[in-house]
Amino acid sequence: LWLGTMAGLFFFDYKEFKRIRPDILDSQVASFVELDSSRLFMGINKGLALLDLEAFYNDSETNVKILNASNGFLGFDCIRNGILKDSDGNIWVAASDRVVKFYPDRLEQDTVPPAIVVTDLLATGLYSDYPTSFQHQANTDTIFELPYYLKNIRFNFHSIHFYAPEEISYKYKLAGYDENWSSPSNERYASYTNLAPGKYTFEVLAQNIDGIWSRQPAQIRFEIIPAFWQTFAFKMAINLLVIAIILTTIFLTMWILRLRKRKREETEKQISELQLKTIKSQMDPHFTFNALNSISSVIYKENKEKAYRYFTKFSKLVRASLEVSDKITRTLQEEVDFTRNYLDLEKIRFRDKFEFTINIDPKVNRELLVPKMVIQNYAENAVKHGLKYLEVNRQLKIAIDQIADHLQIMVEDNGVGRKQAQELKGFSTGKGLAIMNNIYDLYFKLYKIKIEQTIEDIYDSYGIPGGTKVIITIPISRK
């Protein structure tokens, strides 16, 4: 279905509308008629137009030929529905000023391709509004060189053709900028603005009124010479310099941060180790004093055989202490063994009127590293300050479990409680728990592992103190 409208010619295939050559048929199509199966004849306000139907149906480039005063039709403004075809096949066209008879069989096609030439190149730039003109010589290999600031370019071109020269149309492209041909138009110039430095080739073709294109395009070649700061070498040097500055800055920053961190860690570690050595010097005499005091009691009160066993136990404890004297941690199993030897000594001192149990959950990893004395110190406090004031039924329970990602150590006694022990305490340095608190603080500084302790007083149903429970919680490292 063909439709002539105020906006041009449309084709409808019952799916969509397609506008026919809007660059040529851009005005009212007043009337049309088929000359034959391959040509559609139209009246427009510019004159007459002839559409090649065969080319259109084959999806090739739409070919429209315009007939006006330049090639024989002198009418003006074809009227609506003013084209008729008589019985002889001739066409009658009613225009606003005359009636014209058209003989289709006399219509000839212009098969001569038009000649085309680029007449000149005009360039303007940053420093002048006046164009610099470069005259083109045809069929030469001349390459015009333009400074970087002449980057707005206009090309003038012209076609020499004697038949309907007003209907010559042109298409062009600028290789190096756009590789696609422009849409055909009657304009005889092309403009490009703000071109980047580089090599370009401008090409232009001309088409006559019957759709015959020039055999060869007219060409003009030119090059915009870059400024030194636009060259690839300069840009690469700047990029490398920037990258080098960034990398140097990153390297220096990371080096300074690492140096500061290493110095800070070394300083903190030195301070912590000095403090731990001080604590060790406090703790070892503290434990040794209590142990020797127990040995003296056995020697004074008991026989030599029991004293010998006592010295044997004590020598194992001293040897265990010396073997890890330069360390601040040991395995959980080593700490349990150390505590068990200590409590065995205490049983001798208390004439076996003292019982203890150590229960370890099977899922607990006994190779975990824990701070030295983390169990023994609490067991010692329970014996020295709680149980020793009881005459009978002295009980000490040690339980080790894993709860989620924490190791939990519980030390519970059925002694007289903290308040009464404070009232009854005799010769005691009182440094044990304070030392452990210092160890936990330094342990966190060194390993970022926060150890927590809670101390609870145990009361019977009458509100009478009946012992003390200590719970130590140690996060288990996933490293």
Side-chain angles (χ1 to χ4, degrees):
L1 180 65
W2 292 95
L3 303 174
T5 71
M6 296 291 293
L9 181 66
F10 289 82
F11 174 74
F12 181 58
D13 61 359
Y14 298 98
K15 293 182 180 180
E16 61 178 351
F17 285 94
K18 181 177 180 181
R19 190 176 181 184
I20 308 301
R21 286 296 297 271
D23 54 319
I24 295 178
L25 300 175
D26 59 352
S27 59
Q28 178 183 4
V29 175
S31 56
F32 55 81
V33 67
E34 284 190 355
L35 294 182
D36 48 46
S37 60
S38 63
R39 291 179 297 177
L40 186 66
F41 192 74
M42 294 168 281
I44 59 178
N45 60 356
K46 294 181 179 179
L48 301 176
L50 195 62
L51 172 65
D52 187 341
L53 293 176
E54 185 176 355
F56 175 78
Y57 290 135
N58 289 331
D59 292 328
S60 62
E61 185 176 357
T62 305
N63 185 3
V64 177
K65 180 176 183 178
I66 302 298
L67 303 175
N68 53 28
S70 65
N71 55 357
F73 179 68
L74 302 179
F76 177 76
D77 191 14
C78 295
I79 66 174
R80 186 181 301 272
N81 296 323
I83 297 180
L84 296 175
K85 185 178 181 180
D86 63 21
S87 58
D88 295 326
N90 298 317
I91 303 299
W92 293 84
V93 180
S96 60
D97 59 343
R98 69 192 69 198
V99 175
V100 177
K101 185 179 181 181
F102 177 72
Y103 300 92
D105 57 346
R106 299 182 185 181
L107 187 63
E108 296 182 356
Q109 186 177 22
D110 181 11
T111 59
V112 179
I116 180 69
V117 63
V118 178
T119 58
D120 53 2
L121 181 156
L122 303 176
T124 60
L126 298 175
Y127 306 116
S128 175
D129 293 331
Y130 297 97
T132 301
S133 178
F134 297 83
Q135 297 297 321
H136 176 54
Q137 298 179 4
N139 301 321
T140 67
D141 293 329
T142 302
I143 299 178
F144 296 103
E145 293 186 349
L146 309 179
Y148 70 93
Y149 53 83
L150 293 180
K151 54 184 179 178
N152 301 320
I153 310 297
R154 170 174 168 148
F155 302 95
N156 293 329
F157 41 85
H158 188 68
S159 176
I160 302 173
H161 202 68
F162 296 106
Y163 178 63
E166 296 85 353
E167 301 303 324
I168 297 294
S169 59
Y170 305 89
K171 64 179 180 181
Y172 53 83
K173 67 178 180 179
L174 183 61
Y177 175 79
D178 185 2
E179 301 300 327
N180 298 318
W181 290 98
S182 67
S183 299
S185 75
N186 298 117
E187 300 289 346
R188 293 188 295 170
Y189 68 89
S191 297
Y192 297 89
T193 59
N194 201 30
L195 291 176
K199 295 182 179 180
Y200 300 92
T201 300
F202 178 75
E203 297 181 300
V204 58
L205 288 169
Q207 176 186 235
N208 66 19
I209 195 172
D210 286 309
I212 305 300
W213 287 98
S214 306
R215 292 190 177 91
Q216 294 293 334
Q219 294 183 345
I220 182 169
R221 295 188 293 169
F222 66 98
E223 180 179 4
I224 299 178
I225 306 300
F228 75 90
W229 62 83
Q230 295 175 312
T231 60
F232 176 79
F234 182 83
K235 292 179 179 179
M236 182 61 68
I238 292 297
N239 289 335
L240 291 176
L241 179 61
V242 171
I243 292 173
I245 292 174
I246 293 174
L247 292 178
T248 302
T249 302
I250 293 174
F251 174 79
L252 289 176
T253 301
M254 294 179 66
W255 180 77
I256 291 172
L257 291 176
R258 284 197 301 267
L259 182 62
R260 290 178 178 176
K261 183 179 179 181
R262 185 165 59 249
K263 287 183 177 180
R264 185 175 64 252
E265 289 177 348
E266 289 176 355
T267 302
E268 290 180 354
K269 190 169 184 178
Q270 290 173 359
I271 294 173
S272 299
E273 288 176 349
L274 286 174
Q275 292 173 327
L276 284 172
K277 287 180 180 179
T278 302
I279 291 171
K280 184 165 68 68
S281 67
Q282 294 172 342
M283 176 174 286
D284 290 346
H286 174 71
F287 170 70
T288 303
F289 172 80
N290 287 309
L292 289 176
N293 198 26
S294 297
I295 293 173
S296 299
S297 176
V298 172
I299 293 174
Y300 180 75
K301 298 179 179 180
E302 303 293 342
N303 56 39
K304 294 180 180 180
E305 183 180 353
K306 186 171 288 189
Y308 176 75
R309 292 202 308 269
Y310 207 151
F311 271 115
T312 302
K313 292 282 186 180
F314 181 69
S315 66
K316 290 181 180 180
L317 291 179
V318 173
R319 184 168 63 251
S321 296
L322 291 175
E323 288 176 352
V324 292
S325 61
D326 60 339
K327 300 178 181 178
I328 63 176
T329 62
R330 59 184 162 200
T331 67
L332 177 63
Q333 185 62 55
E334 291 171 341
E335 176 65 20
V336 169
D337 292 340
F338 185 86
T339 304
R340 192 186 303 276
N341 282 334
Y342 164 76
L343 293 176
D344 284 338
L345 289 175
E346 293 291 9
K347 284 188 67 174
I348 297 174
R349 185 166 73 91
F350 285 106
R351 301 178 182 180
D352 292 326
K353 294 180 180 180
F354 162 57
E355 296 294 333
F356 72 89
T357 58
I358 301 178
N359 295 319
I360 306 176
D361 192 300
K363 66 182 179 182
V364 172
N365 180 9
R366 299 183 181 221
E367 297 302 314
L368 287 175
L369 292 178
V370 296
K372 287 167 52 179
M373 317 298 281
V374 71
I375 302 177
Q376 188 276 334
N377 192 62
Y378 294 103
E380 181 179 355
N381 281 336
V383 172
K384 300 299 184 183
H385 306 302
L387 298 177
K388 81 173 185 177
Y389 298 111
L390 295 178
E391 295 297 329
V392 294
N393 192 32
R394 298 182 180 97
Q395 298 288 332
L396 178 65
K397 298 178 182 178
I398 299 175
I400 304 173
D401 299 286
Q402 180 174 332
I403 300 176
D405 55 353
H406 287 75
L407 181 69
Q408 180 175 285
I409 302 170
M410 184 195 72
V411 180
E412 180 180 344
D413 67 77
N414 65 340
V416 298
R418 287 187 295 174
K419 182 178 181 181
Q420 188 173 354
Q422 183 69 23
E423 296 173 353
L424 298 174
K425 79 173 183 178
F427 186 72
S428 172
T429 62
K431 293 181 177 180
L433 292 179
I435 289 174
M436 293 309 298
N437 285 328
N438 289 335
I439 287 178
Y440 297 157
D441 291 339
L442 298 174
Y443 202 78
F444 178 74
K445 288 183 179 180
L446 282 174
Y447 304 110
K448 304 304 179 187
I449 296 177
K450 186 174 180 60
I451 301 175
E452 297 180 347
Q453 67 173 2
T454 59
I455 303 176
E456 302 175 6
D457 293 313
I458 300 174
Y459 298 92
D460 62 15
S461 59
Y462 299 100
I464 300 174
T468 306
K469 179 191 292 186
V470 180
I471 298 177
I472 305 100
T473 304
I474 305 175
I476 299 175
S477 175
R478 297 301 183 185
K479 295 182 180 179

